[in-house]
Amino acid sequence: MNALIVAALLLVLLGVAYQSGWSRSRNLVTASGVNVHSRPQYHGSYVAIWAMLPALVVLGLWAWFGGGITHNYTVGQIPQNVLLSLDQTQLNNTIARINALASGYGVAGEVQPFEQSAGDALRSFQMLTFLGVLLAAAVAGGAALLYARSRVTARLRARNAVERVVNLVLLACSAVAILTTVGIVASLVTEAFRFFTFIHPVDFFFGTVWNPNNAGTAGNWGSYGLLPLLVGTLMITAIAMLVAVPVGLMAAIYLSQYAPRQLRAVAKPMIEILAGIPTIVFGFFALVTVGPFLRDLGNLLGLDINATSALTAGVVMGIMIIPFVSSLSDDILNQVPRTLRDGAYGLGATKSETIRNVLLPAALPGIVGAFLLAVSRAIGETMIVVLAAGNAPVLRGNPFEPVATITVSIVNQLTGDTDFAGPQSLVGFALGLTLFVITLCLNVVALYIVRRFREQYE
């Protein structure tokens, strides 16, 4: 509720400031008839930015320091004799009970008189401080609004100032994305190195047995061989690509080159519906439908196919990935210049020859990008392989048998109470770093392919 009130205040302040600056600019043109450097919308944005900055600073300061101030006030409401008798755990529980009472929630057990009075006092304190912060933000924003409005003149370079602010905002957004990636990589590398202080890298990367001892002690950590998980991941990914790439690419070619407009308008959204289905639904579909079907089909053909196997997980994952390949490839094929196709037809090429010799080579870089996205999605998928792959971390090359993947093992090792002090939990970071390196290698290979086969069309 408080967040909605703050958002409403900021929106009102933003709207009033923009309208004030815009009307001020219009009045300058009407009253004097002189040419202004910037358009009214830039003057409105200029005043709005000036009004928002101090208001956001006030709210940011309270968000930073308000928790500590409220905590100190809550502790101050506890009688001194009671406060001295509490250890840290009991003090935290008492503060939590007082906060619950202040918020109007019930608490377990009997409520002490000092807890009730402290809860009432804290409720009043929170209300007063919230109103005070809102008033301070409104006053600061209003004062900045008046100051910025007074600066609006015919020669004010509001457009330059607004564009500088926009550039800073875009730079900040880019920095957030970059720093987030750097932070993720740094955390993976740091924790992975901690894992390698327990398990030798050679035993991890080239080990053929995966059997972590989650209850183990020093010197009895178990086996952490990566190869069974890596083989299982690559096997399921390969099966998924064998399903998704031909079906998705052929569907894209048909929709972009052969399908009537009415059919395309219906078929393309229906294919993309698959992308909106939760992966847990695909996993359940694999477990109760596809797996038994493949098992029965194998019995008819004399093959021993498990209901939960790499084949089951790969086929269902391929079905899930079809819309990614189809939709992206269709968009890329439609972006090929029409003049290239018309030129091929003018030279006597058939439609199929035009597709093979002109359309696909021209769209190859984009299609490679679509395939890369599909491979990355397959490697990082979790729920389907949890339910359909069997979770058997055994090194085998038979796709009809259960396997385990890297993502499933990460889930298994990080589920439950983990203190990140032993290899049982730290191995999740080593596995995550392995997935990151695999994805990075895929990007490098795709970039090479794109640069190798890219053609420039005028």
Side-chain angles (χ1 to χ4, degrees), residues 72-417:
N72 293 333
Y73 180 84
T74 305
V75 174
Q77 297 303 308
I78 302 175
Q80 192 67 24
N81 59 333
V82 176
L83 185 62
L84 294 176
S85 63
L86 300 176
D87 58 23
Q88 188 61 45
T89 302
Q90 294 172 334
L91 177 61
N92 293 335
N93 293 333
T94 302
I95 293 175
R97 290 170 61 86
I98 294 174
N99 288 327
L101 292 171
S103 301
Y105 301 125
V107 295
E110 182 181 356
V111 178
Q112 300 296 324
F114 79 88
E115 292 178 338
Q116 188 63 56
S117 60
D120 296 337
L122 179 59
R123 185 184 306 112
S124 301
F125 175 79
Q126 290 175 337
M127 178 62 68
L128 291 175
T129 53
F130 178 68
L131 294 177
V133 170
L134 282 183
L135 180 60
V139 170
L145 186 155
L146 296 176
Y147 171 75
R149 190 176 188 276
S150 66
R151 288 174 52 88
V152 175
T153 60
R155 305 314 303 163
L156 176 66
R157 298 179 177 271
R159 183 188 64 197
N160 298 350
V162 171
E163 289 179 350
R164 282 197 297 269
V165 172
V166 172
N167 287 335
L168 289 176
V169 172
L170 295 177
L171 177 62
C173 293
S174 301
V176 168
I178 295 172
L179 293 177
T180 300
T181 304
V182 172
I184 292 173
V185 174
S187 63
L188 288 177
V189 171
T190 302
E191 299 301 327
F193 274 121
R194 287 184 58 196
F195 167 75
F196 290 132
T197 61
F198 297 96
I199 305 299
H200 197 276
V202 174
D203 297 333
F204 175 73
F205 288 110
F206 300 99
T208 59
V209 177
W210 177 267
N211 185 26
N213 186 3
N214 292 330
T217 57
N220 186 25
W221 303 118
S223 301
Y224 295 86
L226 175 66
L227 289 182
L229 310 181
L230 183 60
V231 170
T233 300
L234 296 180
M235 186 187 303
I236 293 177
T237 301
I239 296 172
M241 290 300 100
L242 290 176
V243 174
V245 170
V247 176
L249 184 57
M250 294 303 106
I253 293 174
Y254 176 76
L255 290 176
S256 63
Q257 303 301 315
Y258 293 98
R261 187 184 300 257
Q262 296 81 1
L263 179 60
R264 173 183 168 84
V266 176
K268 186 174 174 64
M270 291 184 64
I271 293 176
E272 292 179 346
I273 288 176
L274 291 173
I277 299 177
T279 56
I280 185 65
V281 177
F282 280 105
F284 184 75
F285 172 67
L287 184 64
V288 303
T289 303
V290 178
F293 171 77
L294 292 176
R295 180 192 58 201
D296 296 339
L297 180 63
N299 292 334
L300 292 176
L301 300 176
L303 299 175
D304 185 14
I305 302 178
N306 283 274
T308 54
S309 61
L311 180 63
T312 302
V315 168
V316 176
M317 192 181 299
I319 296 174
M320 180 195 68
I321 294 172
I322 286 175
F324 290 93
V325 178
S326 175
S327 181
L328 290 175
S329 299
D330 176 63
D331 294 337
I332 293 162
L333 291 172
N334 285 324
Q335 292 175 3
V336 175
R338 180 72 184 182
T339 54
L340 293 176
R341 283 172 282 185
D342 292 342
Y345 294 146
L347 293 174
T350 64
K351 179 170 286 190
S352 60
E353 290 173 339
T354 302
I355 293 172
R356 292 195 311 269
N357 301 320
V358 176
L359 195 62
L360 290 179
L364 181 63
I367 293 175
V368 170
F371 293 169
L372 174 63
L373 177 62
V375 172
S376 300
R377 179 69 187 271
I379 290 177
E381 176 55 38
T382 303
M383 293 310 303
I384 292 177
V385 291
V386 165
L387 297 176
N391 192 22
V394 179
L395 183 61
R396 54 166 62 102
N398 186 358
F400 302 153
E401 296 291 333
V403 296
T405 64
I406 295 177
T407 53
V408 173
S409 299
I410 293 176
V411 173
N412 292 336
Q413 295 306 121
L414 297 182
T415 300
D417 297 331

